[in-house]
Amino acid sequence: MARAKESGKSESGKSILAAGAGILAVAAVGFFLIFQFAQSQAEQNLTRWHDRLNLVADSRALEVSAWLNRHIASVEELAADATVQLYANQAIGGDSEFAEGQRGYVFALLSAAAEREGFHEQRAIDQVAANVKRPQRAGLAIIKGDGTPLVASTGMPILRPGEWPADARGSFIALGPRLEDKTPLVLFGARITGEGMTAATEQDIWVVGARPLNDDFLKTLEQPGAASKTGETYLVQPQEGDIVVPLTPLAKGGRIGDARVDMAAAFAAREPRGFASLTNYANTEVLVTGRELSAPVPWILVRTINADEAMAEIDERRNSLMITLSLAALFVLAALVMVWRHGVSRRLETAWREQAELSAKNEALSRFLQSVSDNQPTAIAALGADMTVHFANMHLGNVTGLPVADLNDRRLDTAFASEIADKLRTAVGKAVAGEATSQHLRLEKDGAEQIFQTQLLPLKAEGDNEAVALLVMQDISDLVAAKEQSETLFKQLVSTLTQIIDARDPWSKHHSDRVADVAHTVAKEIGWDDEALESVRIAGQLVNLGKIFVPTAILTKQTPLTDEELALVRESMQKGATLVAGLDFKGPVAAILGQMREHWDGSGEPDGIAGEAIEPGARILSVANAFVGMVSARAHREGLGFDKALDILNSDAGTRYERRTVAALQNVLENKGGRARWENYTTVVEADGSDA
């Protein structure tokens, strides 16, 4: 009997030990899996940082390259200019007197190009009407291969032998000497080639542009919407080993242009699209990636972020996950012990029923939300950071041409053409950063174009696989078509009104259309956007609107006008501006018409405003109106001719007219085919309104 009891106790003890060993084994396996899962999540977080750095590096490399390519293209365009080539040929062995005669014109051409293309640094001295020497910080010049300058714009730094790559065989972008404030100078050069040019080095002639790598350039390194505290983007020129030369300011300080050890930047130079954790110039551990530039320079763009900042988020998430999962594992172990000792089958059954009821309610709610969204007139989707669709309504299926069931858990960018997909990915990236975006997307469907107002709104993310962006697409094709039709009708009304106005003055037939054409062309040459171009074109068409207040007898009078008649004509121009003041134009048409008689030096009418205070369109319109009036022939006189008109405009530049506008008009006439285009302006207009 005693042996039986002892045997029972022994068996019971073995059973308890076996159960305890099983629980410990389950716990060990559970904690191992928890650790592995946490490590996996940390690696995923590191990958996301890699993606963020790639996104910023790609964006900044594109902006920097565009800045450099835009300036080298401007210099190459000047080197290819026929006038510059002719001057260069004469300067190196041709007619020296002819070259000296052309020097003034080439100087004006370089000066106009310098101001237009950014090789003219706006300084405080530009606002002072005094004969003060400009600091030599930026400009354009024509330079011989031995360094002798032939002609240079005001402000062009002096380049000594060895300070620029005179032995280059083609166009170049290179660093020049530092300025007095230690700002690096970047040089853009293009060889002048053409018939008669020799290949000898001492006879090589270059167009060289210089400008400092200052705030205008440094803005290209700033990433809009960047949220990281220690993120840094800078440019370097790689040397041997881990040595680089920084070309832009560094966050932790250091002289620009001095070689230094930077393992992170050196790695970015060796593997431009690689990703690593290395020590930077300040001996700080950083995550780094780099990009080569599409511009012809041996520079590398480096994007870094302190490893402490990046890893803090990763470590915090990993530790939080470890704690959460560990607590969950302990809870499971405690439940197992309780089940083993007490049994909770009924509780588990009740919990299962409650869970089933909750799942049924959630499923019903999901069907309800799906039904509601399907009945909306817009396409709706919830997207993850990787463009994965977590939810989509029926209308999104109609837009993509795919069933909703096929869209769920699929990357939405794979359902669109590459151009549309790129725009959506960019917008989702902004939504991840908390920025809402709105844009128009044009899609081709069944041979017809549809236009969608597309919005991407941030969603609060909870967990790694949750949606972070709400996509809403509304078909606005009919609205856009109606708007375009309205704009077409408006343009037709303006054109008809112009014809009616010009018909009252047969001696100046087509004057309004010609002024509109010249003003539009000059504004385009300066670089205005489409909306501003349309404003100045409409103002040009309405330039003679006030003539409806002038009797026809005065308009057609061939003898000199009296003072009262002249005053009436002048007042009519201001009345024309008053007539359109209440109309809803896209741009400042009324202001342009109202200020076109203002002078650059403040001596004009009606308010005597001056300089930059004058509406830009009014500055252009005043030049265009004067130019057309001078070159256009009349029944009682011939036109002055393009050269005479330019002489008059240039003589009044800086007093009556803005210099930049006159220079732009002159460039169109001399280099952009303006003379041939406007040759018919000199045709005599007969009294009946027909061209002679």
Side-chain angles (χ1 to χ4, degrees), residues 240-564:
E240 294 184 0
D242 293 331
I243 306 297
V244 299
V245 175
L247 308 179
T248 55
L250 304 173
K252 298 298 183 180
R255 291 174 60 114
I256 300 173
D258 290 348
R260 56 169 48 194
V261 175
D262 189 339
M263 296 177 63
F267 167 81
R270 291 192 299 269
E271 298 183 32
R273 302 192 70 86
F275 177 72
S277 177
L278 294 167
T279 301
N280 70 353
Y281 62 89
N283 202 29
T284 301
E285 191 76 7
V286 296
L287 303 182
V288 61
T289 189
R291 292 294 185 274
E292 295 178 331
L293 303 178
S294 63
V297 290
W299 304 347
I300 297 297
L301 183 139
V302 182
R303 175 64 182 181
T304 65
I305 186 172
N306 283 9
D308 289 342
E309 179 182 354
M311 299 306 295
E313 179 183 349
I314 295 174
D315 292 339
E316 181 180 355
R317 290 179 60 82
R318 181 173 60 187
N319 294 337
S320 176
L321 189 61
M322 286 284 293
I323 294 173
T324 302
L325 294 178
S326 297
L327 291 175
L330 290 175
F331 177 80
V332 171
L333 286 175
L336 288 175
V337 172
M338 292 177 64
V339 169
W340 175 67
R341 296 191 61 182
H342 304 287
V344 289
S345 59
R346 292 184 178 179
R347 295 182 182 177
L348 290 176
E349 182 178 357
T350 300
W352 180 85
R353 284 200 206 94
E354 292 176 351
Q355 184 63 35
E357 291 175 359
L358 182 59
S359 298
K361 291 179 179 179
N362 288 338
E363 185 176 354
L365 180 59
S366 178
R367 288 195 299 269
F368 172 74
L369 293 176
Q370 184 73 50
S371 175
V372 171
S373 64
D374 286 344
N375 284 282
Q376 297 300 311
T378 56
I380 301 173
L383 306 177
D386 59 354
M387 297 290 293
T388 299
V389 178
H390 292 275
F391 171 83
N393 71 345
M394 179 179 61
H395 290 288
L396 184 63
N398 295 335
V399 172
T400 60
L402 297 172
V404 175
D406 293 345
L407 284 174
N408 288 324
D409 298 326
R410 170 179 176 159
R411 287 176 59 98
L412 184 62
D413 50 355
T414 61
F416 292 100
S418 59
E419 181 180 356
I420 301 299
D422 290 341
K423 293 181 179 180
L424 289 175
R425 280 192 290 268
T426 300
V428 169
K430 293 181 179 180
V432 172
E435 178 182 352
T437 58
S438 178
Q439 59 184 319
H440 289 177
L441 297 181
R442 297 178 180 268
L443 305 179
E444 291 288 340
K445 186 174 182 181
D446 298 330
E449 183 181 65
Q450 289 181 291
I451 304 175
F452 289 89
Q453 174 71 30
T454 305
Q455 294 178 298
L456 269 158
L457 309 174
L459 290 177
K460 183 179 180 181
E462 297 180 357
D464 296 327
N465 298 317
E466 294 295 328
V468 298
L470 176 65
L471 171 68
V472 180
M473 300 179 67
Q474 183 176 4
D475 189 349
I476 59 171
S477 303
D478 293 340
L479 292 176
V480 172
K483 180 180 178 183
E484 291 175 350
Q485 182 180 12
S486 176
E487 291 178 350
T488 300
L489 290 174
F490 179 76
K491 291 178 181 178
Q492 292 173 350
L493 287 174
V494 172
S495 178
T496 301
L497 182 59
T498 299
Q499 295 175 15
I500 294 173
I501 296 169
D502 286 346
R504 299 187 72 250
D505 185 1
W507 302 111
S508 59
K509 180 181 179 182
H510 308 309
H511 180 84
S512 300
D513 287 335
R514 290 173 177 177
V515 171
D517 184 26
V518 173
H520 183 276
T521 303
V522 172
K524 189 173 183 179
E525 174 68 15
I526 294 175
W528 284 19
D529 58 33
D530 291 341
E531 184 172 323
L533 289 173
E534 183 64 13
S535 295
V536 78
R537 185 190 67 80
I538 293 175
Q541 287 185 304
L542 299 176
V543 70
N544 284 337
L545 179 60
K547 285 187 177 181
I548 63 176
F549 295 103
V550 181
T552 304
I554 295 178
L555 294 176
T556 58
K557 187 177 181 180
Q558 299 187 45
T559 59
L561 299 180
T562 66
D563 292 342
E564 292 77 7

